[in-house]
Amino acid sequence: MLARYWLETCNTTHNVCQQSLEGIMLPLKVLDVSQPQLPRLVCGESEAQYVTLSYKWGNGKKFLMTSTNMEVLEAGFNPKVLPRTFRDAIKVTHALGLRYLWIDALCIQQDSPEQLKQQINLMDKIFLGSTLTIFASAAENADVGLALDTPAKRIPVHLPINTTGSSMASVGQVLVSPPHHWDHDYDGQGLHSRAWVLQEEVLSRRGLSFWSDQMRWRCESKSLLPRGLSSWKLELESRQRQLMKDEAVTEWYSMVSTYSQRHLSFRKDALNGVAGIASLLGKTYELTYLAGLWAEDLGKGLIWRPYNLSKEPKHSNQMPEFPSWSWAS
C-alpha cells in the first residue's frame, strides 16, 4: 500500500517528523481494528500509536456510540452497520499496520453531555497525539467512503526519447500523462468546507487525504497543506522555533477569519470548533483566553468586524449566549 510506504519513509527518513510519540496515551476510547472484520471499542488505558479520522456527516446516516449500544461495540461488531467512510477508515488503518482508530462518533459517548464537553476540551491532545489523521476530503457525507468511484480521465501516451550530448546516451520511451490536479479548493470541497475540520488540519502531525482523483500525503517535512494553512502550523511545541506571543495571536486571527467563513451546523459550537487550538495556544504562549479573544491582545481583538453586514444569521431565534463583544456572537 502506497500510504504505508509514505508512513514508513516518514518514520525513518524525515528528521523533523521523528519526534518521539512515546508517552502518548490513547484517547478515552478507541477502536481496536486488529481484526478489521470484527472491530471492537476498547478503553484507551495504555500508550500506543493510533489514527484519527476527519470526515463530514452531511446527510448520511448516523451511527453513534451511546449508553444503549456501548456494550455491543465493546464486544466486537460487524462493521457493515457503519457508514462507508468509517468502514474504509478501518481498512486503511489496518493496512497501515496500526491497531487503533479514533472516530469521534464512536469513541465519545454521544448521549453524555459531560463526556462530550470533556472530550471537546481535549481535541488538541487527541489530534496532536495521533500518528496520522485520515481526511475524507472529497466526501460530502459519511456514506460516500474514502476512495470515490471517479473514472480516470487521463490517457497516458508513450513518446520516444533519444538523449545525446552526454557520456551516457540512451534510447527508449517515456510515459507521459496529464498532471494531477494539485490545486484543490480546500474550502470549497466536501470536508474542507466544514468549520470543525480546521483544528484537525492544524493540529494533526501527519495527514493522509483522499480526494476524488488522488490520495495525498502531508507531514512536517512534506507539507501539502493548502496555501494559508501551511503557515498555520505554529510549531506549537517549539519543534523548530518559538513564536512570540504577538505572532501567535496574529496567526489566530487568520485562522478565525477562515473558520468563520466555513459551515457550522450548530451555532452553539462556534467556540467549540476551535477549542483545541485555543487550549494549545493558551498553554504554549501563556495567553488568557476570553471567548475567542485573548486578554493580552484585547485592544486589537475587539476591532473584529463581520464581512457580510447584510446577511441575517441563520436560526437567529436560537442564538447562543456568547458575549456580545466576541466574534462568536
Side-chain angles (χ1 to χ4, degrees):
M1 180 184 182
L2 179 60
R4 184 164 183 167
Y5 168 77
W6 286 339
L7 178 59
E8 291 174 351
T9 300
C10 179
N11 282 329
T12 56
T13 66
H14 295 171
N15 292 331
V16 175
C17 300
Q18 289 175 358
Q19 304 300 322
S20 175
L21 288 176
E22 293 181 4
I24 298 292
M25 296 293 292
L26 290 170
L28 181 65
K29 297 278 188 179
V30 288
L31 290 176
D32 183 340
V33 300
S34 55
Q35 299 182 60
Q37 301 306 318
L38 191 69
R40 60 191 182 95
L41 188 67
V42 298
C43 293
E45 297 177 347
S46 62
E47 298 177 10
Q49 295 187 47
Y50 62 95
V51 173
T52 44
L53 174 66
S54 179
Y55 66 98
K56 180 181 179 181
W57 271 123
N59 296 321
K61 66 178 181 181
K62 294 190 176 183
F63 188 97
L64 308 173
M65 187 266 280
T66 65
S67 56
T68 60
N69 64 6
M70 186 187 305
E71 291 186 1
V72 174
L73 296 179
E74 290 174 340
F77 61 96
N78 189 332
K80 290 183 179 180
V81 302
L82 301 175
R84 183 179 171 186
T85 299
F86 291 11
R87 301 198 306 270
D88 286 354
I90 289 173
K91 294 176 183 176
V92 170
T93 300
H94 184 260
L96 288 170
L98 297 171
R99 180 172 182 174
Y100 299 109
L101 170 65
W102 184 90
I103 304 175
D104 57 357
L106 302 180
C107 299
I108 302 176
Q109 187 177 329
Q110 300 296 314
D111 58 352
S112 171
E114 296 80 11
Q115 191 174 125
L116 280 167
K117 181 178 180 181
Q118 176 199 49
Q119 294 299 295
I120 285 174
N121 290 332
L122 292 175
M123 285 298 149
D124 57 327
K125 292 183 174 61
I126 291 173
F127 280 92
L128 269 175
S130 71
T131 298
L132 171 76
T133 297
I134 296 171
F135 292 93
S137 295
E140 289 292 344
N141 62 66
D143 287 330
V144 173
L146 294 176
L148 302 186
D149 299 323
T150 302
K153 296 180 180 179
R154 304 180 185 87
I155 302 175
V157 178
H158 285 276
L159 294 180
I161 182 171
N162 186 353
T163 61
T164 58
S166 68
S167 59
M168 294 184 66
S170 63
V171 178
Q173 287 189 329
V174 62
L175 184 68
V176 298
S177 172
H180 289 284
H181 302 293
W182 291 108
D183 294 326
H184 281 293
D185 180 2
Y186 273 68
D187 290 329
Q189 284 199 41
L191 177 66
H192 300 278
S193 64
R194 175 176 169 259
W196 275 91
V197 78
L198 177 65
Q199 69 177 1
E200 297 160 11
E201 293 167 329
V202 172
L203 297 175
S204 299
R205 297 173 184 270
R206 300 182 179 97
L208 180 63
S209 301
F210 288 83
W211 293 90
S212 58
D213 58 351
Q214 62 189 262
M215 182 172 64
R216 297 178 62 184
W217 172 266
R218 187 268 300 165
C219 62
E220 303 287 56
S221 292
K222 303 290 184 182
S223 178
L224 291 180
L225 284 173
R227 290 182 296 275
L229 285 183
S230 292
S231 64
W232 297 346
K233 293 297 292 183
L234 302 178
E235 306 304 335
L236 297 174
E237 297 177 308
S238 302
R239 291 190 290 269
Q240 292 181 336
R241 62 192 177 94
Q242 179 69 30
L243 294 177
M244 300 299 291
K245 287 184 180 180
D246 58 341
E247 292 176 300
V249 171
T250 298
E251 295 295 339
W252 168 260
Y253 295 149
S254 296
M255 284 186 279
V256 165
S257 177
T258 294
Y259 172 78
S260 300
Q261 297 174 63
R262 294 188 177 189
H263 176 71
L264 194 65
S265 298
F266 304 101
R267 292 182 61 83
K268 63 182 178 62
D269 286 332
L271 293 178
N272 290 337
V274 286
I277 301 174
S279 174
L280 197 54
L281 275 176
K283 285 181 286 189
T284 302
Y285 299 105
E286 298 181 347
L287 294 165
T288 308
Y289 190 56
L290 298 174
L293 306 178
W294 303 99
E296 290 76 7
D297 193 62
L298 199 56
K300 185 187 295 184
L302 285 172
I303 60 174
W304 60 267
R305 63 182 178 84
Y307 286 116
N308 297 311
L309 292 172
S310 61
K311 254 189 177 179
E312 288 295 328
K314 295 180 180 179
H315 314 301
S316 57
N317 59 330
Q318 301 174 15
M319 291 288 284
E321 295 182 359
F322 296 132
S324 60
W325 42 264
S326 169
W327 53 265
S329 67

